[in-house]
Amino acid sequence: MTVHDLLAEWHDHLATGRRRSPHTVRGYCSAAERLLEDRSASNWAEIARLTTSDLRAHLADRRAEGLVNASIARELSALRALIGFAREKVGMEGNAPRLRGPRLKKGLPRPVTPDDARNLAEEVADQAAEPWIGARDRAVLLLLYGAGLRIAEALSLKGSDLPLGERITVTGKGGKQRVVPIIPLVREAVAEYLANCPWAIAREDELFRGAKGGPLSQGMVQKATARARAALGLPATATPHALRHSFATHLLGAGTDLRSLQELLGHASLGSTQIYTKVDAATLLETYRSAHPRERN
């Protein structure tokens, strides 16, 4: 059996047997491929015999390549799942090797980095009970980080907002409207959710639906995010609202001017003022594309 054969079987198990999302399948298969190359494992028995020391050494190499804590935690989760599957294949008793994932120091709040934001969205999708729910939650979180929406704004989107183009008009606090650019990553996430959602969405319906077909609640998104950040070792400050805050922080750090950022966020004032700055929508879109970390990657 070749490494290609092993990866193909692992892919089929994840995609068909476990019905994991395409994003999870890609991530888990990539992690498996790196481990098999690093440890020179060429059959399920060799994979099943990998130890905690093997995982620790492999992840140390990955950290040396620049992987952040949240990415390390996700890779560890993928590799433990792979080894658990291998043990089932060869009839080996016992669980996969246990290895404590990285944890952030308590009491040291930090912004959600682009990698952490991506991993949080992917982990929420991974943990969902159904693939369509995972696609839904991922799309919501990417709207918060990739478009700077408030969670209430994301959940208030309607079927009439479809199909998403390069911009959408969002109604924020006080009924004030603003134009928000939507990058391809976000459009693709929403499209994947729509392709898997079991509920028909009429123009007057909320875009994001709960498990029973009603409007998705903020509480469900917050609970899913809390579970995901715990799995990734992220601080309690890594909330859905923190993704919107990080959107602003990263754009500001990349050189976006304050008044353009004010317009993107829908803030009523800049500092102590209540003056809106009228910024041409095309200029906003170009600023967004050139500055936002997720668009540049």
Side-chain angles (χ1 to χ4, degrees):
M1 179 174 281
T2 66
V3 169
H4 177 77
D5 294 331
L6 293 172
L7 292 174
E9 191 169 349
W10 178 230
H11 181 283
D12 184 65
H13 168 72
L14 293 169
T16 305
R18 298 294 304 278
R19 298 181 61 206
R20 306 305 289 269
S21 74
H23 306 282
T24 298
V25 174
R26 283 196 298 269
Y28 275 37
C29 286
S30 295
E33 185 174 12
R34 287 188 291 267
L35 179 69
L36 298 187
E37 291 177 352
D38 185 34
R39 299 289 103 181
S40 299
S42 59
N43 57 63
W44 290 118
E46 290 177 351
I47 298 172
R49 289 194 295 269
L50 291 175
T51 66
T52 299
S53 296
D54 291 321
L55 287 182
R56 184 178 291 114
H58 176 70
L59 293 175
D61 291 339
R62 295 287 288 143
R63 184 179 292 281
E65 295 171 2
L67 237 60
V68 297
N69 280 355
S71 296
I72 290 287
R74 276 184 57 76
E75 188 134 340
L76 174 59
S77 177
L79 297 181
R80 293 193 73 247
L82 173 70
I83 295 173
F85 177 68
R87 291 189 170 206
E88 290 181 6
K89 291 284 293 182
V90 300
M92 182 182 295
E93 295 183 357
N95 297 320
R98 296 202 61 81
L99 178 63
R100 183 183 295 276
R103 291 292 182 267
L104 303 179
K105 293 181 180 180
K106 294 183 179 180
L108 295 176
R110 66 188 184 98
V112 178
T113 67
D115 279 343
D116 287 345
R118 180 200 66 212
N119 284 314
L120 191 62
E122 299 297 345
E123 186 68 21
V124 164
D126 290 351
Q127 293 188 9
E130 296 287 341
W132 80 268
I133 292 177
R136 178 200 69 192
D137 292 348
R138 179 175 181 269
V140 171
L141 293 190
L142 288 180
L143 273 166
L144 307 187
Y145 177 65
L149 300 192
R150 299 177 179 93
I151 187 170
E153 293 169 345
L155 298 186
S156 69
L157 294 176
K158 303 280 189 179
S160 56
D161 293 306
L162 300 174
L164 293 187
E166 291 189 337
R167 309 173 186 85
I168 59 171
T169 299
V170 176
T171 302
K173 291 184 177 180
K176 294 183 174 65
Q177 292 188 327
R178 68 187 189 276
V179 175
V180 178
I182 301 296
I183 60 176
L185 177 72
V186 176
R187 292 201 299 271
E188 291 163 7
V190 173
E192 182 180 336
Y193 156 65
L194 292 172
N196 289 277
C197 180
W199 309 103
I201 300 175
R203 286 182 56 82
E204 66 274 12
D205 291 337
E206 283 78 7
L207 173 59
F208 294 107
R209 315 299 289 275
K212 296 182 179 180
L216 177 62
S217 70
Q218 293 188 30
M220 294 304 296
V221 178
Q222 291 162 345
K223 287 179 181 178
T225 305
R227 290 193 299 268
R229 71 168 177 255
L232 296 175
L234 295 175
T237 53
T239 62
H241 187 71
L243 295 177
R244 168 177 155 88
H245 176 70
S246 298
F247 161 89
T249 302
H250 299 155
L251 284 181
L252 187 61
T256 303
D257 68 272
L258 286 173
R259 293 199 180 276
S260 294
L261 191 58
Q262 177 195 2
E263 189 82 2
L264 285 170
L265 292 171
H267 287 164
S269 64
L270 181 64
S272 59
T273 69
Q274 297 198 9
I275 299 174
Y276 276 97
T277 303
K278 305 300 182 182
V279 183
D280 183 77
T283 302
L284 274 176
L285 182 58
E286 183 58 33
T287 299
Y288 188 92
R289 284 174 167 167
S290 63
H292 197 283
R294 295 308 306 160
E295 183 71 2
R296 295 200 311 271
N297 288 345

